[in-house]
Structures are given as structure tokens and as C-alpha cells.
Amino acid sequence: MQNKGTDTGPLTGPHGSGGGLRASTRLGLGGLAWLLCSLAFSLWLGNGSMAPGNFSGSAGRAPSFQQTGEGRDATEEPEARAERMILARLDALVIQTLPLALPLARWQREEGLPLEDEGSAARAYRVTGPCAPLRLGVALLEKLRSAADPDFPHLSAVDPERFRPRLAWTDQGALEIRLNGRPTHRFHFPGKERALADLARPLPQAALILVIDDLGQSLEPAEDLAALPFPVVLAVWPHAPRAGATADLAGQMGLDCLVHLPMEPQPRADGFRPKPGPGALFADMSRHALASVLEPDLAALPTALGLNNHMGSRFTGSSAACRLLCAQLAGRGFFVLDSLTQPYSRLAEEARAAGLVSVARAVFLDTRRDVSAVLAALDAAAAKARSAGFAVAIGHPYAETLSALRRWQDKAGVAVVPLRRLVWHLAQLQARDGARGGKR
């Protein structure tokens, strides 16, 4: 008699009674096997569609010199293989770097722009939304050093210097990656072309950069500064009530802006501790705590080229604190200006050690709030630019400073230039030194 409902009774399931496979199950498994074999065969036939550079959703065409697929003829020339491998690496590098350098921007691949002399096309990107295009250039420049590593497979048989990717801005304000003199990737920033075209020109031999701190409380000082006959840099408190409007004005007028980042000051001699304001970094912060404050500060001003410190003598005097900050910024194209609020600041030093482009302030313009004193400080800053090649001077939106800036006449024959031109110049030098094995 058959037992029911016990472990000894016959089982029902995919094997059916007696443990054999049901006919329907065998048919299903056979169909699945046929489908898998067909898929594998299709992938083998169309292997070129899986090449690293052809990511899904891309509208742009690959340059004609790119060969797709890994299963290719063993007789492929070493130079053709090198170009193909570097191009695949460049594609991956671009996709990795875009969201790091321009996190709030939007970008899309477009049809490649024909290159008449080469019969090929560069990958073309259209980048819109709030961003600082130079940050992408600086971040890519740092990463490109590894894209033509002689130890990378298939590059040992060719001249690595010839296959080193280059980065350049065009007279039309586009950013290009070039390989063997041909553009492989081109980035367009609609509406920003005029300001970015400056980057195609070399930095003058004597360049002066003027930074005005403490902006964002109201729009009027920024409007006064934008009306000057030479460019100034607007350093904006990230959480000030008119921070966004000030940054927007800078963009409309072709001016650069910085995040004027509050940092912990030293207590005064009488024991009073000045308050740096909202969004401040403190020297004893952990990595996680620092990042939780820093990231909203940066996101508040997505068009900023970088940052400089507001107050911050205690923070910038700590190598460990500056190292944490710079590690958080690394790889994202940020520029760091050390306001040098105390003589033993470590900010610029740690920024350079982390691979960031960084300089220290040369002159404070308005330590004395007097028009004649500010005029003298401007002359001193111009003299430093003449002797050192460039200088950065920092002032504040005081009435006396604004009056002096309107009246100042350059006697040293320097060029007052946008900050972006100095940053790109220094980034190129840094990349060149790194490629030669020099120290940053």
C-alpha cells in the first residue's frame, strides 16, 4: 500500500515519478542550451561590438583608425595595436573623469566631427549645466600621464613619447585629447566658448591675478568688481545668501570664481575664538566628518575653479588636516589657493604633494584700509609678478579697495589675467614634470 504524506512516498517535481526527467523539462533544458550556444556564437561573430571604446548609448562614431575587437589577426602592426589599446584606455578614462570633475554637469556623446585631413572623426561631447570646464581639463591632464605607460601591453614595441596623448584647448574654446597630432576626443561647452578660448594662449611672462574674498552677502560688490577694466577673481562664501547669484554673475561676465572655504582660525591672544561661519572645516575633523562638510560647500558653487581659505590659520597650520582635505579633492581638477593667513601654512605644500595645482598668495592688498595703501600694495604685487613671472594678490570688497582698483594704473607693465590662465599654465608644467619623472 502506498504511503502518502511521508518521506518514503514517491516524489513529484521536475524529475516526475520514478526520478526520471519529464519530457517537458527535457524540452525546456534543450531549448535553453540551444539559446546559450546561439548567443555565444553571435558574440564570437560580432566580437567587434564589444570593444572597450564602444560603450552603450553613445551617439558618436569611433575614429576610423580604431580597430574593434580583441580577436584580430596576429599580423597587426605594433603601431596600430598601440593606437587601438590607448584609444580604449582614453575612452575609459573620459567616462571615469567626467563625473568626478563635473559632478553636476550633463553631457552626451554626439556625432563625431569630421577631420577633413584625416578622414576620421573625433568623439564629440557636449557638456552643459553648472560646471567649471577647466576642472575637467586639469583632471584629465593629470590622468593622461598614465595613458601611454610604456609597460602597458603592446606599447613596449613602439616609441612611447610618440604615443603619449596630449591635451589642448582650441581657439574656439573646445578641449581636445590628441593622439599623434589627431583629435580623438573633443569637449564642447556651449555658452562658455569665449572665456575658454583664453586657454589656447600662453600665459604672459608677467601675470598678475587679483582675488577678492568675502563675496556672496550681496550682489552689489560683485557687480562693481565686474565693471573694472581688468578681470578679478570672485571668492565666494559657499553658504552666503547671494552665493549662487554671485557665481552666476561671474559666469556671465567671463570671470572666475573660487569657493571661499571657511576654516578654523587660531584663537586670538586674548583667548577669543573667531567664528569662521557655516560650512567650516576644523583641524581635528575625521576624514568622514571633513567630507560631510566639504562636499556641500563644493556643491554650492559648482562653477568654481577651486578654493581658497577664509580665516583658517589653525587648520592650514596642520599638515594632517591639510592632507585630509587635499586627499578629498584629488583627481577632481580642483585648484587650491593658499591665502597664507599665517607664515607656516601647509596648505599649498600638501596640495602639491597630492597632485593638485596650487599656489600661495603673494600680497594682501588691504591690510590697511586706506586707498593710498591699497594702491601701494597693487604696485608691490605687480613688481612681484614682474620678478617671479606671476603673482596672486588678495583683497576684500571694502570701499577703499574698490576705489583703489578703479584708480590703479599699472606701472610695471604686467598683464592682469583671469585665474584660469595661470591654473592651466601650472597644470601643464606639472604634467610635463611628472612625465619626465620630476617631482611635483
Side-chain angles (χ1 to χ4, degrees):
M1 184 173 178
Q2 184 172 317
N3 294 326
K4 296 182 180 180
T6 69
D7 292 340
T8 59
L11 301 175
T12 60
H15 295 281
S17 61
L21 288 171
R22 291 178 175 175
S24 61
T25 302
R26 290 197 299 272
L27 182 61
L29 290 175
L32 178 61
W34 179 84
L35 180 62
L36 291 174
C37 290
S38 300
L39 179 60
F41 184 66
S42 298
L43 288 175
W44 178 75
L45 285 177
N47 192 38
S49 65
M50 303 300 289
N54 297 328
F55 50 90
S56 62
S58 300
R61 293 182 289 120
S64 63
F65 53 74
Q66 182 191 20
Q67 303 295 319
T68 55
E70 294 299 330
R72 70 187 62 259
D73 195 322
T75 62
E76 182 182 21
E77 292 294 329
E79 290 191 355
R81 176 173 289 189
E83 276 195 339
R84 176 171 55 83
M85 299 302 292
I86 293 175
L87 211 66
R89 177 175 279 194
L90 291 175
D91 283 334
L93 183 148
V94 166
I95 297 306
Q96 175 193 37
T97 307
L98 267 167
L100 286 175
L102 309 178
L104 298 185
R106 298 179 296 276
W107 60 88
Q108 64 183 51
R109 277 273 300 273
E110 297 181 325
E111 282 299 317
L113 300 179
L115 307 175
E116 296 178 0
D117 56 336
E118 299 294 343
S120 62
R123 291 155 166 77
Y125 287 82
R126 176 185 173 91
V127 185
T128 58
C131 66
L134 182 58
R135 291 217 312 259
L136 177 62
V138 172
L140 284 173
L141 196 59
E142 178 185 348
K143 295 176 186 298
L144 283 180
R145 291 203 300 268
S146 63
D149 185 346
D151 295 330
F152 192 72
H154 313 303
L155 295 190
S156 57
V158 299
D159 176 10
E161 189 60 29
R162 180 185 168 197
F163 284 89
R164 189 177 301 282
R166 314 287 179 178
L167 202 64
W169 293 89
T170 71
D171 290 332
Q172 292 73 41
L175 177 64
E176 290 184 346
I177 302 177
R178 298 171 182 170
L179 188 63
N180 284 333
R182 292 176 289 178
T184 63
H185 299 74
R186 184 176 295 156
F187 304 89
H188 296 271
F189 303 91
K192 300 179 175 68
E193 295 90 347
R194 184 175 179 182
L196 295 174
D198 283 349
L199 299 171
R201 295 183 290 153
L203 187 73
Q205 292 185 350
L208 177 60
I209 293 86
L210 300 175
V211 179
I212 304 299
D213 284 350
D214 298 351
L215 294 171
Q217 287 298 109
S218 69
L219 200 55
E220 185 178 355
E223 292 171 338
D224 291 338
L225 292 165
L228 291 170
F230 43 76
V232 296
V233 185
L234 308 186
V236 185
W237 278 316
H239 300 293
R242 303 306 303 276
T246 301
D248 289 345
L249 175 66
Q252 294 164 13
M253 301 301 294
L255 302 176
D256 298 320
C257 72
L258 292 172
V259 178
H260 193 41
L261 189 62
M263 297 182 188
E264 183 181 6
Q266 290 283 13
R268 294 179 181 169
D270 60 3
F272 176 75
R273 291 181 175 271
K275 295 181 180 180
L281 304 183
F282 290 84
D284 59 355
M285 279 181 163
S286 66
R287 179 179 62 83
H288 176 74
L290 184 143
S292 68
V293 175
L294 175 65
E295 292 308 319
D297 289 342
L298 301 179
L301 293 167
T303 59
L305 299 186
L307 59 89
N308 73 327
N309 55 294
H310 168 64
M311 297 188 180
S313 293
R314 184 167 188 270
F315 187 97
T316 62
S318 167
S319 294
C322 292
R323 199 173 301 126
L324 278 181
L325 168 61
C326 295
Q328 191 71 19
L329 298 173
R332 300 160 67 180
F334 280 100
F335 164 74
V336 175
L337 170 61
D338 187 343
S339 298
L340 213 63
T341 55
Q342 57 117 326
Y344 303 107
S345 176
R346 297 289 180 263
L347 183 55
E349 174 187 321
E350 291 296 337
R352 286 191 289 268
L356 306 175
V357 179
S358 179
V359 298
R361 179 269 311 163
V363 173
F364 268 133
L365 296 177
D366 43 24
T367 304
R368 286 178 51 207
R369 292 181 59 171
D370 175 80
V371 173
S372 60
V374 176
L375 288 169
L378 284 164
D379 289 339
K384 284 183 178 290
R386 171 63 63 190
S387 61
F390 70 88
V392 177
I394 295 179
H396 301 83
Y398 303 144
E400 297 86 352
T401 305
L402 290 169
S403 177
L405 288 169
R406 293 188 187 101
R407 292 170 52 184
W408 182 60
Q409 295 182 346
D410 174 26
K411 301 172 184 175
V414 302
V416 180
V417 301
L419 175 62
R420 56 183 174 269
R421 294 184 64 185
L422 174 64
V423 172
W424 184 240
H425 171 76
L426 295 176
Q428 290 176 298
L429 292 180
Q430 193 161 294
R432 196 174 306 150
D433 289 346
R436 292 172 180 166
K439 295 182 179 179
R440 292 175 185 168

